[in-house]
Amino acid sequence: MNRRQNLENGGTQFREILSEAAKREITKEEALYLFRETQGCDRTLKLFETAYEVRERELGNQIRLMGFVCCITRCTTDPACRYCFKWRNPDLFSPRDVLNEDELRAAARAIEGTGVRRVELAGGTLWGDEGSKATLKAIEAFTRASELDVWTNNGPSFAPADVVTLRESGAEGITCNLESISEEVYREMRPGDSLRARKEIVEATDRAGLGIDNTLMIGLGEGEGDEHPYQDWVEFLFYFKQFKNFRILEVGRFRPMPGSPVEEFPAGSSLEAAKARAIARLIFRDLDIAGAGDMLGLMAGANLAMHSVSVVHKWRMHPRGSAWGGNPDITEIGDHLVLVDYLPGISRLVGEFGMELE
C-alpha cells in the first residue's frame, strides 16, 4: 500500500470517528487516535467543528463566567514547584500576599456587583492544620458576604476529612489541580508536592457531593523535541470520567517562568491545548470546559471563561492587555486591593463569535 492510500485510509477512519463523536461519547482509544491524528488545517478544523456542534447541542450558545480571588493561603511546599510563579515574584503566595477577612469581604461584594455568579478562591498549598483553618475561614467570609457560588483552589491545603466541613460551610466545589497524571512529572517538576494527596482530595470531593474542577497542563515536563505525551493526557481525562461530580475542566499551557529552574523549557502548545479541549468535549459532552476567553477555545468547544473578573493585591497586576483584547477595567476597592474586570473584552469577543454571556 503506497503513502497516498495510507493517508486516504487514515482520513476515512478520522472522518468516521468524528461522525460517531457527533452522536455519542468517544472511547479512550478514539480519544488517543484523535490526539495523534489531528494534524494539519483540514483535520484540526473538522475536530473543532464537531466539538463546537456538540457544545451547541448540549449547552447552547451561552458562555459561563467565573471570578477569581487570590490569594487565600500562602504556600509551604518545599521544595517549591520548579515552574511556580514565585520564581518570578517572591511576594506571590507569601504571607504578605494573603487577603485578610476585611479584604475577602470586600472582594466578595465587588465580584457580586459585576453580575458574575461564581468565584474561585485561589492560594498556595499551606500544608497541615493551618491550611485547613485558613481555607475554612476564607469560604465562610465569602458565603457570609455574598450569594456567590464559592469554589476553593488551593491545592491539598486541607485533608480529605475536611471536605465535608467545607461543604457545610458553603463551598460549591473544590479545585485540587493535578495538571499531570504522571508520577515521573511530579518527581521532576513538583518534587515537594504529592499526586497521591491531590487524588485523595479529588476522590473525597466526589464522595461529599461537591463539584470537581481540575486542570490538565499541556507541555508540563516536556523537553525540546520531545513527543507529546498523548497517552498521559488521555489517562488524565478518563481518570476524571469516573467522578459523577466532575463539573469543570481547565486546560492550561505550561509557561516557563523567568529565573526558574525550567526557564529554558519550551512553552506548551496553544494548538495542543485547543485539541485537548475539543477532545474533552467529545468525551464529556455537557461539562463546563474553560478556555472560552480566546478564539481557539471558542472554536474548540469551550463554554467557560475563567478569571473574567479578579480581585488581587496591586502587586499581582501585570502591565499588559488581556487575552480578550484591550486593557481590563481596574477599580481600587481598598488600600492594596483592585478589581480587574475583563468583561468588556470578553463580551465583545463572544458577541463577534455569535454567542452571548450568561
Side-chain angles (χ1 to χ4, degrees), residues 152-332:
T152 182
N153 176 8
N154 58 335
S157 294
F158 44 87
D162 296 321
V163 169
V164 172
T165 303
L166 299 180
R167 182 194 65 194
E168 293 170 348
S169 299
E172 177 74 16
I174 290 175
T175 308
C176 188
N177 286 323
L178 303 191
E179 297 181 348
S180 172
I181 203 76
S182 167
E183 291 281 6
E184 181 179 349
V185 168
Y186 268 69
R187 285 193 296 271
E188 179 184 1
M189 304 295 286
R190 312 184 70 163
D193 210 327
S194 168
L195 178 58
R196 176 179 292 277
R198 288 178 176 270
K199 283 184 172 181
E200 288 174 352
I201 293 290
V202 170
E203 292 159 8
T205 301
D206 194 59
R207 289 195 299 272
L210 287 175
I212 296 170
D213 171 1
N214 221 273
T215 297
L216 170 64
M217 185 173 288
I218 299 300
L220 182 62
E222 292 184 44
E224 196 71 52
D226 288 353
E227 292 186 2
H228 296 305
Y230 291 137
Q231 184 71 57
D232 284 354
W233 298 352
V234 170
E235 294 297 334
F236 178 101
L237 294 171
F238 277 86
Y239 168 75
F240 284 96
K241 185 69 174 166
Q242 68 183 296
F243 301 119
K244 63 181 180 181
N245 292 303
F246 184 40
R247 298 186 198 170
I248 298 174
L249 171 69
E250 302 179 53
V251 180
R253 292 193 304 118
F254 170 73
R255 292 179 172 86
M257 289 295 112
S260 75
V262 293
E263 64 178 342
E264 300 298 326
F265 277 48
S269 164
S270 58
L271 177 58
E272 292 295 335
K275 283 169 54 178
R277 294 184 185 106
I279 291 167
R281 174 60 67 205
L282 303 183
I283 297 169
F284 295 103
R285 320 301 280 189
D286 61 354
L287 186 72
D288 283 335
I289 298 178
D294 64 62
M295 187 60 68
L296 268 181
L298 286 171
M299 291 175 64
N303 72 306
L304 175 65
M306 303 291 291
H307 300 193
S308 53
V309 292
S310 301
V311 174
V312 295
H313 281 129
K314 294 177 183 178
W315 52 80
R316 275 185 167 266
M317 287 295 301
H318 303 296
R320 58 178 173 82
S322 74
W324 302 288
N327 294 312
D329 295 334
I330 300 173
T331 305
E332 294 190 7

Side-chain angles (χ1 to χ4, degrees), residues 115-131:
V116 172
R117 303 172 189 173
R118 59 194 69 83
V119 63
E120 174 186 86
L121 309 183
T125 301
L126 179 55
W127 298 91
D129 290 343
E130 185 182 356

